[in-house]
Amino acid sequence: MSSGPDSEYDVIVVGGGINGLTAAIYLQKSGLQVACFERKLEAGSGCCTEEVMHPGVKVNLCACNMVTLWSPAYADLELEKFGLEMLTSGEWGMFHPFKDRSAVMFNSFNARKQYEHWKSINEHDAEVFKTAYNIMAPMMGDTVMSQFFTPPTTGAKEAVQAGGLASMMNAIFPEIPENAHELSGIELAECLYQDEKIKTAVLANCIMTGSHPWERGSATLMPVVFPVLQSTHSATWTCRGGSHALVHALCSCFAAHGGRLFTGCPVEKFIMQGDAVQGVALSRHAVFPEAEIRAREAVISNLSCHPTFKQMVGEEKLPDWVKEGVDAYKNDETVLFTNYWVLDRPPRWEGYPDELNNAYGFNFGMESVADIRRLARNLERDELPDPPIVSGLSVQGFALADPSQAPEGQYTVMAWSNVPYKLPELGGSEKWDQIRESYGDKVDALLREYNPGMMDSVIARYCNTPLDYYRKNPSMVEGSTTSGATSWRWHGTSRPFEGCGAPRSPFPGLYLSNSIWPFGTSNLGSGYVAAEVLAKDLGLRDKQDWWCAKPMDAGIEVLRRRGIELEFNLA
Ligand SMILES: Cc1cc2nc3c(=O)[nH]c(=O)nc-3n(C[C@H](O)[C@H](O)[C@H](O)COP(=O)(O)OP(=O)(O)OC[C@H]3O[C@@H](n4cnc5c(N)ncnc54)[C@H](O)[C@@H]3O)c2cc1C
């Protein structure tokens, strides 16, 4: 920030979120001159760690389940060299406690232990896991590549609709009917698994991944895929120093390659010539007020669908078909309410299996599939679940994995309840300010039913509503955790709307790294895909020898260095 921006760059990225930064670095490293303009004084709003409670308590407000080890960017961009270190608390990444003090657990690295654990609950369901694991685990890297790091293709959605994957599933699992593609995730789980607790725990985890098991389409297969994905190291990691350490690694990397990041620089509008996007105009509140910066090749918007098209392009410039697509885009599909607690002793699960004490995360408040159906009904009607349902993930592993995230002798636990944004019964979304603490109390009371000892050790609490998220980051419209809808209607090439061609857009010179497929997560997929397509369009992609890492390999390598070897076949 020693000097203002130049008048021109090859590529301008609007929004310094982790995906905008990822796209910016890939392109800068490919030889382009790239500048990124971020509204806030600190980049990476969706991956923030802030001391909002008391000094030394690091609160990871957005991304908590860091899936960066899936990403080719981890190795391509040498993020470890720029300070990123991934940590986790224990091999049992996730668990689902029940009020009778039993739990269904998910192992992150050891599929054999996963199989044995499920076998102790239900032999049939353990065999289902083993069969699915043996088929899917060896091809997990390719699957993740095609789903998260490859631009979506027309035809993939039609293949699922026509039952392609379902008939393959039916050939493997006789329990799954031939019309599996017409089932919801819940219906599929009901066919496939016998044990009610396993069904409930698996479905809760599907919700956690942003896949709604009451829907059809891609959500249908998630109950089979999730346990396999979880056992291949995929999730339940934090970064040393908190989630925001990823942002710092990306910023350092960008700067090291000569990229320019300008913080405190909200973009007001795209500069347009006809329907072509040629640059950006900063807001009058920017550090460089009303500066106009041109892009020689392209502008990438790292803002979600509504701000990109309604504000940056301008509603008046949208052709009817684009306006219809943008207006129809649903923001509030996956919305979370946060409780963050500080404990004065390590979390302990008295009366439950010992493994829970060191596990990273959990979901709670669902005793059977009926509770999952209750959540679906509540969300469909914009009603607040009461009692709450905490299926967005809870994390107890931050300070267990990384003591730097809390003062000595203190520990943090976080819980995400699934909620609607709009609150029509209470008079609208602004009512979130009034019910913040009372809804937080309901989550406290619910967790007390599972773990009274943990709640007795709470010394401070902080609650964050979806409205708070929206206020902090106007690109997180209605508090959406996934920058808008991810369900079947908006899957693949249909995101953010049919005909958009994302990550390209209907406006020449404009590319998108947000509200596209894949949806933005800490696996950095949407930034990767935006960079991939733009680099191809500019004829640069084939010349980058360094741009070659494969998804999932980083995690396998990190585990290997820690003496853990993943097993891909449970003979
Ligand atoms: C409650 C919650 C929980 C989540 N949990 C997880 C999780 O556990 N794991 C996970 O992987 N992901 C999680 N996510 C998603 C996570 O936030 C995304 O992975 C990540 O933030 C997406 O990054 P992005 O770059 O796509 O978008 P963003 O982080 O939203 O980046 C957009 C950037 O644009 C900036 N901006 C906004 N307006 C302007 C403007 N006018 N001009 C310039 N800049 C502007 C914003 O400040 C922001 O920095 C969660 C999100 C939420 C809200």
Side-chain angles (χ1 to χ4, degrees):
M1 288 270 298
S2 54
S3 62
D6 296 343
S7 58
E8 266 191 11
Y9 292 89
D10 292 325
V11 174
I12 291 173
V13 177
V14 179
I18 50 178
N19 284 295
L21 288 167
T22 299
I25 304 169
Y26 269 101
L27 295 168
Q28 179 77 31
K29 218 178 150 176
S30 300
L32 296 167
Q33 267 192 302
V34 183
C36 176
F37 293 91
E38 164 57 40
R39 170 182 168 270
K40 294 180 83 173
L41 290 171
E42 185 74 19
S45 301
C47 195
C48 52
T49 303
E50 297 175 18
E51 295 188 24
V52 286
M53 299 178 76
H54 50 258
V57 175
K58 297 197 173 93
V59 176
N60 300 303
L61 276 172
C62 296
C64 282
N65 198 1
M66 301 300 288
V67 290
T68 317
L69 286 171
W70 295 18
S71 187
Y74 191 88
D76 282 343
L77 307 185
E78 303 177 286
L79 294 180
E80 286 184 2
K81 193 171 122 187
F82 295 101
L84 185 64
E85 189 183 351
M86 304 302 294
L87 301 168
T88 192
S89 54
E91 65 176 335
W92 293 96
M94 286 295 297
F95 66 93
H96 187 117
F98 293 88
K99 289 179 186 168
D100 65 4
R101 277 24 185 185
S102 63
V104 173
M105 306 188 294
F106 296 87
N107 197 298
S108 301
F109 325 130
N110 192 323
R112 198 165 287 280
K113 285 190 188 170
Q114 179 65 46
Y115 168 72
E116 293 299 336
H117 164 57
W118 274 22
K119 203 168 164 193
S120 71
I121 302 173
N122 183 297
E123 280 203 30
H124 168 272
D125 294 354
E127 293 308 319
V128 168
F129 168 74
K130 190 196 235 183
T131 305
Y133 189 85
N134 285 343
I135 294 168
M136 291 180 196
M139 55 186 199
M140 198 50 88
D142 291 342
T143 309
V144 167
M145 185 73 204
S146 69
Q147 291 298 309
F148 291 98
F149 299 101
T150 307
T153 50
T154 44
K157 195 166 171 178
E158 287 75 4
V160 175
Q161 258 157 344
L165 278 172
S167 59
M168 189 181 98
M169 284 288 157
N170 166 257
I172 300 164
F173 301 109
E175 299 88 340
I176 298 184
E178 277 174 29
N179 70 336
H181 57 295
E182 292 169 10
L183 302 180
S184 68
I186 295 179
E187 289 161 344
L188 183 114
E190 295 275 19
C191 299
L192 188 61
Y193 298 114
Q194 288 179 348
D195 184 78
E196 184 72 11
K197 288 179 178 171
I198 287 182
K199 283 180 206 171
T200 308
V202 168
L203 290 170
N205 276 295
C206 294
I207 301 170
M208 182 193 77
T209 64
S211 160
H212 297 158
W214 43 88
E215 285 164 0
R216 289 161 176 73
S218 52
T220 304
L221 292 178
M222 206 54 189
V224 191
V225 176
F226 176 79
V228 178
L229 191 57
Q230 177 63 35
S231 284
T232 45
H233 81 66
S234 64
T236 58
W237 295 83
T238 186
C239 309
R240 187 182 292 284
S243 308
H244 196 61
L246 171 60
V247 181
H248 282 257
L250 291 168
C251 290
S252 304
C253 178
F254 187 40
H257 291 289
R260 296 296 309 275
L261 168 67
F262 297 95
T263 54
C265 285
V267 172
E268 183 70 30
K269 279 272 180 206
F270 295 143
I271 299 170
M272 297 185 68
Q273 171 95 36
D275 61 355
V277 173
Q278 297 192 330
V280 299
L282 303 189
S283 129
R284 67 194 169 92
H285 304 294
V287 173
F288 308 103
E290 298 182 353
E292 293 199 349
I293 306 104
R294 303 270 160 177
R296 287 184 282 267
E297 303 290 359
V299 170
I300 297 179
S301 177
N302 186 221
L303 310 186
S304 61
C305 174
H306 282 187
T308 296
F309 292 102
K310 290 186 174 206
Q311 185 194 337
M312 296 295 144
V313 174
E315 294 211 59
E316 69 290 352
K317 294 205 180 77
L318 303 181
D320 287 348
W321 71 274
V322 174
K323 187 168 171 358
E324 271 166 37
V326 171
D327 285 342
Y329 190 65
K330 187 170 162 50
N331 290 294
D332 61 345
E333 244 186 30
T334 302
V335 172
L336 301 173
F337 177 93
T338 314
N339 279 49
Y340 225 97
W341 300 279
V342 184
L343 317 183
D344 65 4
R345 67 193 92 129
R348 288 214 51 88
W349 288 81
E350 298 298 341
Y352 288 92
D354 272 353
E355 289 89 338
L356 270 53
N357 295 327
N358 208 32
Y360 187 78
F362 55 104
N363 295 305
F364 64 99
M366 292 144 287
E367 292 289 302
S368 70
V369 176
D371 282 319
I372 309 260
R373 292 188 192 276
R374 172 166 68 87
L375 176 65
R377 267 197 316 277
N378 285 153
L379 294 184
E380 195 192 343
R381 296 173 192 165
D382 284 327
E383 295 165 352
L384 266 176
D386 188 5
I389 290 204
V390 184
S391 199
L393 173 73
S394 305
V395 176
Q396 63 174 16
F398 297 126
L400 297 177
D402 170 21
S404 83
Q405 294 194 33
E408 200 175 343
Q410 294 181 12
Y411 298 83
T412 50
V413 178
M414 180 281 299
W416 278 327
S417 312
N418 297 80
V419 292
Y421 175 74
K422 294 194 174 77
L423 305 183
E425 280 185 340
L426 300 175
S429 55
E430 64 279 11
K431 296 291 181 226
W432 273 116
D433 287 338
Q434 285 169 26
I435 64 165
R436 180 188 292 105
E437 297 306 322
S438 58
Y439 202 68
D441 291 345
K442 285 182 195 287
V443 180
D444 281 23
L446 182 69
L447 185 51
R448 182 170 284 284
E449 289 185 49
Y450 292 87
N451 193 334
M454 182 187 279
M455 296 319 285
D456 285 343
S457 65
V458 171
I459 53 172
R461 183 185 83 182
Y462 177 84
C463 292
N464 209 53
T465 72
L467 183 57
D468 296 328
Y469 284 117
Y470 192 6
R471 284 194 188 113
K472 274 172 176 277
N473 179 358
S475 177
M476 258 176 204
V477 180
E478 300 185 336
S480 173
T481 58
T482 46
S483 302
T486 57
S487 59
W488 193 231
R489 175 174 168 187
W490 288 279
H491 195 90
T493 49
S494 317
R495 197 170 197 253
F497 51 86
E498 215 60 72
C500 176
R504 298 185 186 93
S505 80
F507 300 93
L510 175 64
Y511 289 71
L512 310 172
S513 64
N514 202 338
S515 291
I516 67 169
W517 198 266
F519 56 96
T521 71
S522 55
N523 73 23
L524 311 174
S526 59
Y528 181 96
V529 164
E532 167 92 14
V533 170
L534 179 50
K536 273 194 183 137
D537 287 355
L538 297 178
L540 292 170
R541 177 63 180 95
D542 292 342
K543 299 173 189 148
Q544 314 308 321
D545 293 346
W546 54 271
W547 188 336
C548 57
K550 300 264 186 306
M552 308 304 272
D553 283 0
I556 294 171
E557 175 56 26
V558 164
L559 288 175
R560 194 167 284 150
R561 275 190 252 138
R562 293 173 199 180
I564 299 167
E565 213 44 71
L566 287 186
E567 196 180 1
F568 287 105
N569 194 326
L570 305 180

